[in-house]
């Protein structure tokens, strides 16, 4: 896995979330919970790897979100706390509805489509900061490590889903691969552009 700690080290060091967004981590948490539920024997058989990875992923995303809440200003803290509560309410509702209203086979289909939707939202969530990147012409607040880790994860699970011939795994992860590559290309473009602009600046400015 890719280390996401640099962003949070900076938040802790500066005592502020600055212009970083918690949205990608909130979406990632919801996605991990939904995909974990899909992979458990209550819903699917033979995808233990998906359950294991998403259980660990949910724990990490929850920890990252807790750090964000701890260092955010009052307005952001309230917003993220409400979103976090919403994630657990939505997940609880999904578990209840899938168990109460569906037998095993239709339950797998129901939760499978929800996991597809949550995966696509998760892969697209870092795009929410693209407007800031384009406006400021800076990738300072773009979650590079999150985008990179999701790209690598989506490529791996696309291959895994294809081997299992599981539509609900390979389709969203194929889309995630495309979105991840788009984000990394954007990061590379603005990083290089920023480096060129920095190189053009005079090393010494004199005033006469």
């Amino acid at each position: 896995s890719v280390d996401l700690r640099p962003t949070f080290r900076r938040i802790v060091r500066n005592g502020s979330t600055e212009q970083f967004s918690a949205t990608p981590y909130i979406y990632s948490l919801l996605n991990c919970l939904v995909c974990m539920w899909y992979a458990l024997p209550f819903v699917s058989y033979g995808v233990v790897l998906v359950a294991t990875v998403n259980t660990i992923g949910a724990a990490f995303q929850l920890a990252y979100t807790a750090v964000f809440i701890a260092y955010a200003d009052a307005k952001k803290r309230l917003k993220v706390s409400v979103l976090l509560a919403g994630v657990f309410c939505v997940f609880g509702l999904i578990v209840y509805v899938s168990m109460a209203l569906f037998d095993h086979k239709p339950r797998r289909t129901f939760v499978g489509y929800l996991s597809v939707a949550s995966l696509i939202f998760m892969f697209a969530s870092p795009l929410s900061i693209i407007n800031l990147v384009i406006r400021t012409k800076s990738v300072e607040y773009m979650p590079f490590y999150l985008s990179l880790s999701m790209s690598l994860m989506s490529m791996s699970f696309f291959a895994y889903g294809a081997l299992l011939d599981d539509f609900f795994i390979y389709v969203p992860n194929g889309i995630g691969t495309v979105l991840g590559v788009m984000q990394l290309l954007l990061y590379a473009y603005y990083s290089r552009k920023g480096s060129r602009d920095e190189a053009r600046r005079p090393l010494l400015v004199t005033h006469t």
Side-chain angles (χ1 to χ4, degrees):
S1 61
V2 176
D3 192 356
L4 299 180
R5 289 178 294 175
T7 295
F8 289 87
R9 282 202 197 101
R10 173 171 168 173
I11 288 173
V12 172
R13 185 175 65 247
N14 295 342
S16 169
T17 58
E18 303 175 56
Q19 293 188 64
F20 289 110
S21 172
T23 304
Y25 304 99
I26 292 287
Y27 279 128
S28 295
L29 174 61
L30 178 60
N31 169 72
C32 286
L33 292 171
V34 174
C35 291
M36 177 191 70
W37 179 239
Y38 171 77
L40 290 175
F42 300 105
V43 179
S44 301
Y45 299 122
V47 283
V48 178
L49 178 63
V50 175
T52 304
V53 168
N54 282 285
T55 300
I56 296 169
F60 275 109
Q61 299 305 332
L62 185 59
Y64 292 140
T65 305
V67 170
F68 196 95
I69 289 172
Y71 288 93
D73 59 43
K75 185 177 179 181
K76 274 188 180 179
R77 184 180 298 120
L78 177 62
K79 179 183 177 182
V80 175
S81 298
V82 169
L83 287 173
L84 184 60
V87 162
F88 285 110
C89 288
V90 168
F91 177 62
L93 183 63
I94 289 170
V95 171
Y96 174 76
V97 169
S98 60
M99 292 298 290
L101 302 183
F102 297 97
D103 293 328
H104 195 272
K105 189 173 181 179
R107 183 185 304 143
R108 179 178 178 273
T109 302
F110 171 71
V111 179
Y113 278 115
L114 289 177
S115 71
V116 168
S118 70
L119 274 164
I120 292 172
F121 273 118
M122 183 192 75
F123 290 133
S125 62
L127 296 173
S128 63
I129 206 165
I130 278 183
N131 181 50
L132 179 64
V133 172
I134 293 173
R135 191 173 70 248
T136 62
K137 295 180 173 55
S138 169
V139 294
E140 183 180 5
Y141 297 105
M142 186 175 183
F144 170 75
Y145 289 100
L146 181 64
S147 297
L148 179 59
S149 64
M150 289 195 300
S151 299
L152 295 174
M153 183 187 71
S154 61
M155 290 175 193
S156 301
F157 276 103
F158 172 74
Y160 180 70
L163 288 172
L164 293 178
D165 194 27
D166 191 322
F167 170 87
F168 297 120
I169 297 176
Y170 71 73
V171 167
N173 282 288
I175 295 171
T177 299
V178 174
L179 291 174
V181 169
M182 285 172 54
Q183 292 166 34
L184 294 175
L185 288 174
L186 182 75
Y187 188 93
Y189 173 76
Y190 279 104
S191 292
R192 189 171 55 185
K193 189 173 187 298
S195 297
R196 286 201 305 265
D197 290 345
E198 187 70 27
R200 290 194 191 103
R201 293 178 185 174
L203 294 177
L204 180 66
V205 178
T206 58
H207 298 280
T208 58

